[in-house]
Amino acid sequence: MTDEDLLSRLLHRPRLKLERKKSYDDMSLSLYDSAHSLDGRSGWETPVFSIKDSFDPNPMVTEAWEALCRSQVYFRGNPVGTIAACDPASEEVLNYDQVFVRDFVPSALAFLMKGEPEIVKNFLLKTLHIQGQEKRIDSFKLGDGAMPASFKVLHNPIKKTDTIIADFGESAIGRVAPVDSGFWWIILLRAYTKSTGDHSLAERPECQKGMRLILSLCLAEGFDTFPTLLCADGCSMIDRRMGVYGYPIEIQALFFMTLRSALSMLKHDSEGKEFMDKIVKRLNALSFHMRSYFWLDLQQLNDIYRYKTEEYSHTAVNKFNVIPESIPDWIFDFMPLRGGYFVGNVGPAHMDFRWFALGNCIAILSSLATTEQSNAIMDLIESRWEELVGEMPLKICYPAMDSHEWRIVTGCDPKNTRWSYHNGGSWPVLLWLLTAASIKTGRPQIARRAIDLAEARLLKDGWPEYYDGKSGRFIGKQARKFQTGSTAGYLVAKMMMDDPTHVGMISMEEEKHLKPPLRRSSSWT
């Protein structure tokens, strides 16, 4: 089936006479006209569908909703989030009974798309309250804007009280504070506003202050010469040592999306305008830096292959002094004639050529990637389907590390062995991001193909957290079943395909004023 055939089927179903939520205003709906211009197509209609209106109710959807509802956590009678996993067969709970900020995002999107925003609003306010607490790890005080990695609700049936215990990294593997939690909070606040049309939540003084505190942390001036954020290993979805310290693509893409989200919600008062000015300047610098230095396609790979080194002054082309001999052998066969992606990391004498799914999908949705780059990323996924998707979407990164490299980079991590967990494992939760990116770029057939793969196994396998193996064939060795992210990611993907306008909650249009990437000449000219 061609792109046009699938789009036609999605967008020319019988229209139902339902009242659209007022949040889908003309501005948000304009996304879909321009989204199709990425492929040279004209704009398309905006069908009104919900999961309840499917012509052929899918029993897998029903099972997923039941699992998601069972995972809800209540504080004083109100739902405030979903736990990470609800596996009745697992005796070892660990921290999977907690509400993780990043893990709740697909759950929140599912509830918003279903028209149940209360749990999302409660979550946003409860985590905001936790942010206001004093945060100390070994007598060291964290920044005021730090958001928790997770929280747990403790019920006392005797006293009939509820208590929240938050984790800011002091209980995490490696004791690393999550940089991405604050970013996801702001992104989710925007999604709530877009979905409900309720601007009053974002305009509350406490929400405005919460955003400013987060922005204060990441916009602080220091010794940095790059507009990107310097981060430790383990500060994002990849929360164990995986060699992503420095300037990981996931954090940079989320940072970009957060700045744009905050820009649309900050009040135009004296405090708000001060941050808005900083945001605009940072966005210009960050977009130029990422589009110029993190982008890799066949032409750029050939340029790097012929780089000169030890170049000085502002005229240097090889600005980070990347040694051509450091290019890994696998990249030469992996890079297709058509296609490209944002590499995992760029820093002094360092370029991590690995593919990271979350960062590249967020780059598309936030329009950090230009129109051409967005299409090139989707070209890469299609041409390298077996490597990046295989039998279960989606590879968190590619390729996996092994042998000496695995020992040095991961510290002999027994959970991150090759093609497992964060080291090349396949994560069903990433399905919603791939689907959103596919719809935004006007190529829903990619999402349809990935959803078909997931539907063939996810329910039967018990909604695992991740899959192992080069093609994602095996349930992960330590994967929890009934993983909430897997059920929520599937539901969000299905609802986006039923009603593509849902993508407007999480997607952004390209800002024309942001500086385009420079076309750099080869260093040998």
Side-chain angles (χ1 to χ4, degrees):
M1 184 182 294
T2 65
D3 297 14
E4 289 81 1
D5 292 335
L6 186 52
L7 281 169
S8 179
R9 288 183 62 179
L10 282 173
L11 302 169
H12 291 87
R13 296 172 177 175
R15 299 294 292 270
L16 298 180
K17 293 183 179 179
L18 298 177
E19 183 180 353
R20 178 175 299 283
K21 294 179 183 178
K22 61 183 179 180
S23 60
Y24 295 110
D25 51 23
D26 293 338
M27 182 177 296
S28 66
L29 292 179
S30 68
L31 158 71
Y32 306 99
D33 290 336
S34 54
H36 281 270
S37 68
L38 299 184
D39 254 4
R41 299 185 179 89
S42 59
W44 29 296
E45 295 177 76
T46 53
V48 185
F49 275 83
S50 74
I51 201 66
K52 302 173 185 176
D53 303 316
S54 300
F55 296 114
D56 300 309
N58 187 336
M60 185 169 170
V61 171
T62 302
E63 292 280 353
W65 272 116
E66 290 178 354
L68 184 59
C69 290
R70 284 196 302 269
S71 72
Q72 289 186 82
V73 173
Y74 289 81
F75 179 78
R76 297 175 183 172
N78 297 313
V80 292
T82 53
I83 59 174
C86 191
D87 185 358
S90 177
E91 297 179 358
E92 197 175 24
V93 177
L94 296 178
N95 59 354
Y96 284 82
D97 62 345
Q98 298 184 24
V99 180
F100 282 82
V101 172
R102 79 174 68 92
D103 289 16
F104 180 66
V105 171
S107 298
L109 295 177
F111 285 119
L112 288 173
M113 292 176 187
K114 196 182 180 186
E116 298 180 3
E118 179 191 3
I119 186 173
V120 182
K121 183 176 182 178
N122 293 340
F123 170 85
L124 289 167
L125 291 174
K126 186 53 60 181
T127 47
L128 189 64
H129 175 74
I130 295 172
Q131 182 199 42
Q133 300 174 0
E134 185 178 60
K135 302 167 279 287
R136 288 184 179 273
I137 299 179
D138 292 339
S139 300
F140 179 74
K141 186 177 182 296
L142 276 68
D144 290 336
M147 279 287 185
S150 63
F151 65 86
K152 183 175 183 177
V153 177
L154 299 178
H155 302 282
N156 188 323
I158 299 175
K159 296 182 178 180
K160 295 182 180 180
T161 59
D162 288 345
T163 306
I164 284 184
I165 305 297
D167 175 20
F168 289 91
E170 67 269 29
S171 300
I173 296 291
R175 302 303 187 265
V176 177
V179 175
D180 64 335
S181 287
F183 294 164
W184 280 121
W185 187 88
I186 290 179
I187 292 167
L188 184 57
L189 179 61
R190 175 185 176 270
Y192 172 88
T193 304
K194 295 284 288 184
S195 173
T196 63
D198 177 16
H199 294 265
S200 63
L201 178 62
E203 291 173 354
R204 287 191 184 187
E206 61 266 36
C207 286
Q208 291 288 311
K209 180 182 178 181
M211 282 191 286
R212 291 195 302 266
L213 287 174
I214 295 170
L215 293 170
S216 294
L217 282 180
C218 55
L219 291 174
E221 296 176 347
F223 289 97
D224 295 308
T225 58
F226 312 139
T228 42
L229 280 183
L230 183 63
C231 301
D233 242 334
C235 66
S236 60
M237 179 182 178
I238 298 178
D239 58 5
R240 299 164 76 98
R241 180 177 167 189
M242 271 287 292
V244 297
Y245 58 88
Y247 307 93
I249 178 61
E250 177 180 335
I251 291 297
Q252 313 315 319
L254 286 172
F255 180 34
F256 183 87
M257 193 173 205
T258 297
L259 293 179
R260 293 199 60 193
S261 297
L263 193 62
S264 68
M265 294 186 294
L266 285 170
K267 284 187 175 180
H268 289 242
D269 53 20
S270 58
E271 290 180 300
K273 285 183 178 179
E274 180 182 352
F275 277 97
M276 292 170 77
D277 290 341
K278 291 181 180 180
I279 288 173
V280 171
K281 292 177 182 177
R282 192 63 167 263
L283 281 172
N284 276 294
L286 185 61
S287 62
F288 171 78
H289 184 94
M290 298 298 297
R291 294 170 182 176
S292 300
Y293 304 124
F294 273 66
W295 182 252
L296 187 70
D297 55 22
L298 189 61
Q299 177 60 51
Q300 184 60 21
L301 178 60
N302 191 61
D303 290 348
I304 297 171
Y305 180 70
R306 298 173 66 91
Y307 265 168
K308 289 180 179 179
T309 59
E310 307 299 324
E311 293 182 309
Y312 296 90
S313 82
H314 65 278
T315 60
V317 175
N318 185 3
K319 296 182 184 296
F320 301 96
N321 198 37
V322 175
I323 311 301
E325 285 73 21
S326 68
I327 302 174
D329 291 338
W330 63 267
I331 191 66
F332 295 105
D333 293 326
F334 177 75
M335 182 61 70
L337 292 176
R338 292 178 62 249
Y341 65 103
F342 290 99
V343 297
N345 220 317
V346 176
H350 173 60
M351 183 171 285
D352 184 349
F353 289 88
R354 284 177 294 175
W355 148 272
F356 289 89
L358 195 153
N360 276 274
C361 287
I362 290 293
I364 292 175
L365 294 174
S366 65
S367 288
L368 171 60
T370 64
T371 299
E372 294 77 14
Q373 288 171 339
S374 295
N375 277 309
I377 293 171
M378 303 311 293
D379 285 339
L380 178 82
I381 292 173
E382 281 197 303
S383 59
R384 293 293 176 259
W385 187 264
E386 294 304 318
E387 292 90 340
L388 302 180
V389 181
E391 297 184 26
M392 175 56 66
L394 179 67
K395 279 272 178 281
I396 191 171
C397 72
Y398 180 89
M401 292 179 289
D402 194 13
S403 303
H404 180 69
E405 184 183 21
W406 166 78
R407 287 192 290 271
I408 297 299
V409 175
T410 75
C412 299
D413 189 346
K415 194 169 185 178
N416 273 330
T417 54
R418 66 173 183 171
W419 306 116
S420 180
Y421 202 51
H422 297 143
N423 189 14
S426 299
W427 290 69
V429 67
L430 297 174
L431 181 63
W432 78 267
L433 284 160
L434 176 62
T435 300
S438 300
I439 292 173
K440 185 183 179 186
T441 53
R443 296 159 80 164
Q445 84 285 352
I446 295 177
R448 180 71 270 163
R449 187 179 175 189
I451 291 172
D452 288 344
L453 286 172
E455 288 183 332
R457 297 186 57 195
L458 268 182
L459 177 60
K460 179 181 67 176
D461 293 342
W463 307 98
E465 178 184 13
Y466 65 94
Y467 285 78
D468 286 350
K470 199 169 185 178
S471 60
R473 181 174 295 180
F474 308 101
I475 298 174
K477 280 186 177 181
Q478 298 187 43
R480 289 296 186 281
K481 292 192 176 181
F482 294 94
Q483 184 78 11
T484 304
S486 297
T487 56
Y490 168 72
L491 288 171
V492 172
K494 288 287 287 185
M495 286 189 280
M496 283 181 175
M497 291 296 284
D498 275 347
D499 182 355
T501 61
H502 284 315
V503 180
M505 289 186 201
I506 202 73
S507 183
M508 299 173 168
E509 277 303 275
E510 186 175 357
E511 293 286 351
K512 301 302 180 183
H513 68 271
L514 294 180
K515 296 178 182 178
L518 284 182
R519 293 293 181 186
R520 296 178 296 171
S521 59
S522 300
S523 60
W524 47 269
T525 56

